[in-house]
């Protein structure tokens, strides 16, 4: 059983502004529901536009001091931040599983340690924000490049990985000297609030990290369109991302979008079949399939196709669904009954044109559980192959030639992640070159690490989370140029007035 009492912990409200919890002022309330039981575990007042204004003002007030801190000072504070997170790891894991329905082993072994590591990485990276080295490119001037923080960042994070997504938004922003207002999904605000509290506990100044918990149409759109917000970072669906881009464009602010995915899992005929089967089940079912990089489309070269389908079906049937706080549970519920019914709708419609090999049903249980599902014999242009389902559903299709496998892998609007399975280094290398995705794994699917960037191609958005590459999103590049001659009348002046 969990021991995180959200109502007690956040009794003062679900907004974190200028270093303290406050209640929202929208006049509307919202309940955080444990998706494993259907029980309401926290009821709070939603943020309105006034709360967003207060949070942005807090961030703007804190910006000069935080931006003016030395890289070493910001780094030291963030190292302390990582220490606080590590000390409170179990509290974060309990809260994450409670609000999301994640198995506690996933929260303890993936979400929380990944966030601690990401914080430690950016604590170090804060000291390495150099521009290009100085040089005399004209012969008469010295040029160099400065990297400067942008200002107040307004970010919106999704419900599937609330803690990790909060970290991915907050950490590069503040490491670069920005301040931030983060809007978590109203379904899952608990660990974002804990994260902001931990930042304060570590000595990061009030106003550097602010949280507003409200509805997208109210708090989210007001934050994106706020004239004092210099940059927006959004992670979520491609449809909502388009709306975010429309609003951000009106104020010509910097924009970073990490959107949907439909990751291909390409198995060539020389692959290790057992490894591919295990990788497909793990890659498809992580976080109950609610992962934009999850394996969703398996393309298997025809000699291995039947054995792959049989192996995946057998292994899926062994996955243990149950109480997220039972250490033996492999897969928890989906985020809500509404979302479970959406996933079921995709599968039910597919029955008319494809074969449900295993799964394809909800559990008779109060929670929002749906069995791991494998679908075969669908057409490439069918809904189940082309649309993002965001649930524990894997569809498998055969292919003949390598050319066909790569073509099918690319036949989607999305391009976030993919994997290729082969023992042939040349074959695998070709796949990594030609598959259009921001990350291509070889003989694995899902692992992420702080040192490497995460972001997509095509309808999966643009910009990078994690790694030093993320600083490209959160810094302004300024060219500084010094005259070295002390000559009053420069030769180029004659093109404007006078003669040589």
């Amino acid at each position: 059983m969990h021991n995180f009492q959200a109502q007690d912990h956040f009794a003062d409200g679900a907004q974190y502004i200028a270093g303290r919890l406050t209640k929202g002022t929208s006049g509307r309330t919202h309940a955080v529901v444990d998706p494993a039981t259907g029980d309401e575990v926290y009821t709070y007042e939603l943020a309105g536009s006034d709360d967003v204004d207060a949070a942005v003002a807090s961030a703007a007030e804190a910006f000069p001091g935080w931006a003016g801190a030395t890289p070493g000072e910001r780094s030291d504070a963030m190292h302390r931040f990582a220490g606080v997170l590590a000390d409170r790891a179990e509290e974060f894991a309990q809260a994450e599983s409670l609000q999301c329905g994640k198995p506690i082993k996933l929260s303890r072994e993936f979400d929380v340690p990944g966030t601690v590591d990401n914080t430690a990485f950016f604590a170090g990276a804060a000291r390495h924000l150099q521009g290009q080295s100085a040089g005399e490119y004209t012969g008469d001037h010295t040029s160099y490049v400065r990297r400067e923080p942008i200002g107040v960042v307004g970010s919106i994070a999704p419900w599937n990985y609330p803690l990790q997504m909060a970290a991915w938004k907050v950490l590069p922003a503040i490491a670069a000297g920005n301040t931030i207002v983060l809007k978590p999904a109203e379904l899952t605000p608990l660990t974002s609030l804990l994260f902001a509290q931990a930042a304060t506990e570590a000595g990061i100044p009030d106003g550097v990290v602010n949280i507003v918990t409200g509805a997208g149409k109210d708090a989210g759109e007001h934050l994106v369109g706020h004239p004092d917000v210099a940059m927006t970072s959004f992670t979520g669906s491609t449809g909502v991302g388009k709306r975010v881009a429309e609003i951000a464009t009106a104020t010509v602010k910097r924009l970073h979008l990490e959107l949907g995915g439909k990751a291909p899992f390409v198995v060539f005929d020389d692959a290790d079949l057992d490894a591919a089967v295990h990788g497909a089940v793990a890659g498809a079912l992580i976080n109950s399939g609610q992962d934009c990089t999850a394996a969703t489309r398996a393309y298997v070269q025809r000699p291995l196709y039947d054995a792959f389908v049989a192996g995946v079906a057998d292994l899926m049937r062994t996955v243990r669904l149950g109480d997220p706080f039972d250490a033996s549970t492999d897969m928890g519920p989906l985020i809500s009954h509404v979302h479970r019914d959406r996933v079921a709708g995709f599968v039910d419609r597919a029955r008319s044109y494809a074969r449900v090999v295993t799964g394809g049903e909800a559990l008779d249980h109060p929670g929002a559980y749906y069995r791991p599902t494998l679908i075969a014999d669908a057409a490439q242009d069918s809904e189940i192959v082309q649309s993002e389902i965001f649930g524990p559903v894997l569809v498998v299709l055969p292919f003949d030639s390598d050319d066909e496998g790569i073509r099918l892998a690319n036949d989607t609007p999305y391009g976030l992640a993919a994997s290729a399975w082969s023992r042939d280094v040349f074959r695998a290398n070709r796949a990594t070159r030609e598959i259009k995705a921001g990350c291509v794994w070889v003989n694995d699917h899902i692992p992420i690490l702080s040192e490497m960037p995460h972001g997509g191609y095509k309808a999966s958005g643009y910009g990078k989370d994690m790694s030093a590459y993320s600083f490209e999103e959160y810094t302004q590049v300024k060219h500084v140029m010094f005259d070295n001659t002390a000559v009053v009348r420069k030769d180029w002046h004659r093109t404007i007035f006078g003669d040589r």
Side-chain angles (χ1 to χ4, degrees):
M1 295 294 293
H2 73 86
N3 56 22
F4 184 82
Q5 301 302 313
Q7 202 68 53
D8 294 338
H9 197 107
F10 302 119
D12 291 331
Q15 320 304 323
Y16 195 78
I17 300 171
R20 66 186 184 92
L21 291 169
T22 64
K23 296 183 185 298
T25 62
S26 70
R28 295 184 294 121
T29 60
H30 187 82
V32 176
V33 175
D34 177 353
T37 63
D39 295 338
E40 294 185 3
V41 296
Y42 179 54
T43 302
Y44 64 94
E45 295 81 3
L46 287 163
S49 58
D50 288 347
D51 304 301
V52 174
D53 290 343
V56 172
S58 170
E61 183 179 356
F63 175 70
W66 184 247
T70 67
E73 289 168 338
R74 289 199 295 268
S75 177
D76 288 347
M78 293 184 70
H79 276 299
R80 294 194 300 270
F81 190 10
V84 172
L85 295 173
D87 290 343
R88 296 172 58 184
E90 180 61 18
E91 178 186 14
F92 276 86
Q94 293 270 336
E96 192 78 336
S97 287
L98 177 63
Q99 66 182 353
C100 298
K102 294 175 188 278
I104 192 67
K105 66 179 180 180
L106 183 65
S107 294
R108 285 174 176 158
E109 298 177 33
F110 184 76
D111 296 68
V112 175
T115 301
V116 174
D117 182 76
N118 210 227
T119 308
F121 170 82
F122 278 106
R127 289 180 177 264
H128 299 283
L129 272 166
Q130 299 94 339
Q132 187 174 332
S133 60
E136 285 70 47
Y137 300 103
T138 70
D140 292 335
H141 305 82
T142 295
S143 289
Y144 67 89
V145 169
R146 291 176 55 88
R147 283 195 179 273
E148 297 179 350
I150 295 172
V152 177
V153 176
S155 292
I156 299 176
W159 49 257
N160 58 330
Y161 288 101
L163 176 59
Q164 290 205 74
M165 295 298 101
W168 288 12
K169 302 300 183 194
V170 170
L171 296 172
I174 68 172
N178 302 287
T179 56
I180 189 167
V181 179
L182 172 73
K183 192 199 89 64
E186 57 268 40
L187 294 173
T188 54
L190 304 183
T191 45
S192 296
L193 294 167
L194 288 176
F195 194 70
Q197 288 181 317
T200 299
E201 184 179 338
I204 292 174
D206 293 349
V208 173
V209 179
N210 305 272
I211 307 292
V212 290
T213 310
K217 283 288 186 182
D218 302 324
E221 292 198 0
H222 190 64
L223 177 62
V224 173
H226 200 291
D228 295 331
V229 169
M231 176 197 167
T232 289
S233 177
F234 170 80
T235 296
S237 70
T238 298
V240 177
K242 290 177 181 178
R243 175 60 180 157
V244 169
E246 290 174 3
I247 299 169
T249 299
T251 53
V252 199
K253 53 170 54 79
R254 182 82 65 90
L255 183 61
H256 166 216
L257 298 174
E258 198 268 89
L259 306 177
K262 190 71 176 175
F265 186 101
V266 184
V267 182
F268 295 100
D269 57 14
D270 67 329
D272 183 321
L273 179 63
D274 286 342
V277 165
H278 282 78
V281 174
L285 301 185
I286 185 171
N287 202 33
S288 300
Q290 299 167 130
D291 186 312
C292 50
T293 64
T296 59
R297 299 178 293 138
Y299 296 101
V300 183
Q301 206 150 26
R302 206 170 293 274
L304 296 184
Y305 179 76
D306 290 338
F308 179 88
V309 170
V312 168
D314 287 345
L315 189 54
M316 277 188 170
R317 295 184 187 108
T318 71
V319 173
R320 299 164 295 183
L321 281 66
D323 178 1
F325 290 92
D326 183 334
S328 67
T329 293
D330 296 321
M331 196 177 97
L334 297 176
I335 190 64
S336 68
H337 286 83
V338 170
H339 186 59
R340 184 194 66 184
D341 292 346
R342 177 184 176 275
V343 171
F346 279 103
V347 176
D348 291 343
R349 290 190 295 275
R351 296 179 195 278
S352 66
Y353 58 79
R355 175 168 56 103
V356 177
V357 181
T358 191
E361 61 183 6
L363 269 63
D364 182 14
H365 188 281
Y369 289 88
Y370 196 80
R371 292 193 185 281
T373 299
L374 180 65
I375 294 176
D377 305 332
Q380 174 67 14
D381 62 356
S382 62
E383 178 190 54
I384 203 76
V385 174
Q386 292 294 328
S387 298
E388 186 175 31
I389 300 168
F390 225 58
V393 180
L394 176 65
V395 59
V396 187
L397 296 87
F399 70 91
D400 292 304
S401 68
D402 288 16
D403 288 348
E404 182 188 18
I406 292 173
R407 178 181 61 79
L408 292 172
N410 285 329
D411 182 24
T412 173
Y414 301 107
L416 187 58
S419 63
W421 297 74
S422 174
R423 291 184 173 97
D424 185 329
V425 65
F426 300 103
R427 210 175 200 182
N429 230 354
R430 179 193 175 189
T432 65
R433 289 195 310 273
E434 297 186 13
I435 293 176
K436 305 304 181 187
C439 174
V440 182
W441 293 285
V442 176
N443 295 328
D444 208 344
H445 194 109
I446 285 297
I448 56 174
L449 63 162
S450 298
E451 291 83 359
M452 287 289 112
H454 175 83
Y457 286 28
K458 302 188 290 186
S460 292
Y462 46 81
K464 299 299 180 186
D465 288 309
M466 301 196 298
S467 82
Y469 289 97
S470 65
F471 286 134
E472 300 299 325
E473 318 304 324
Y474 294 97
T475 55
Q476 292 279 17
V477 174
K478 177 186 288 184
H479 171 214
V480 178
M481 193 172 191
F482 281 88
D483 170 59
N484 294 330
T485 66
V487 172
V488 173
R489 187 171 179 179
K490 307 292 194 293
D491 185 58
W492 70 268
H493 292 179
R494 69 184 175 82
T495 63
I496 313 303
F497 59 88
D499 300 318
R500 185 182 292 275

